[in-house]
Amino acid sequence: MNIQIRFFASVREALGTAQEGVDLPEHVHTVGEVRDFLRQRGGVWAEVLAEGRALRMAYNQQMAGVATPVAEGGEVAFFPPVTGG
């Protein structure tokens, strides 16, 4: 399944990228599993997306929780709890 991932504010700055297309493995079906999958990249990815770190997530521009399902062509976004305008 291929999805778009977007990163905003301090998450974008730390990771050095604003967006990317990702082909997910078959076992990834939720927003939380997308986060886990990206964290497996290690280094700064593991640090920025760490479990317990304050981080908001959205799916298709709607706030999402870890159990929110993802589908082909969807968009997952990660951003800090407070993002200025």
Side-chain angles (χ1 to χ4, degrees):
M1 161 179 16
N2 191 281
I3 66 167
Q4 289 295 310
I5 303 178
R6 297 186 186 272
F7 307 101
F8 294 94
S10 61
V11 177
R12 177 190 64 232
E13 293 168 14
L15 297 176
T17 188
Q19 66 182 24
E20 67 176 286
V22 174
D23 194 22
L24 298 175
E26 290 184 19
H27 69 275
V28 177
H29 302 286
T30 67
V31 170
E33 290 171 345
V34 171
R35 183 177 180 176
D36 293 342
F37 170 72
L38 295 173
R39 194 168 46 232
Q40 291 175 11
R41 292 176 173 178
V44 70
W45 292 88
E47 181 182 328
V48 171
L49 301 172
E51 183 121 5
R53 184 164 181 161
L55 190 67
R56 300 281 186 194
M57 299 174 288
Y59 181 68
N60 289 339
Q61 300 180 5
Q62 299 290 319
M63 295 302 293
V66 295
T68 302
V70 297
E72 177 71 30
E75 177 189 271
V76 175
F78 296 97
F79 48 96
V82 178
T83 302

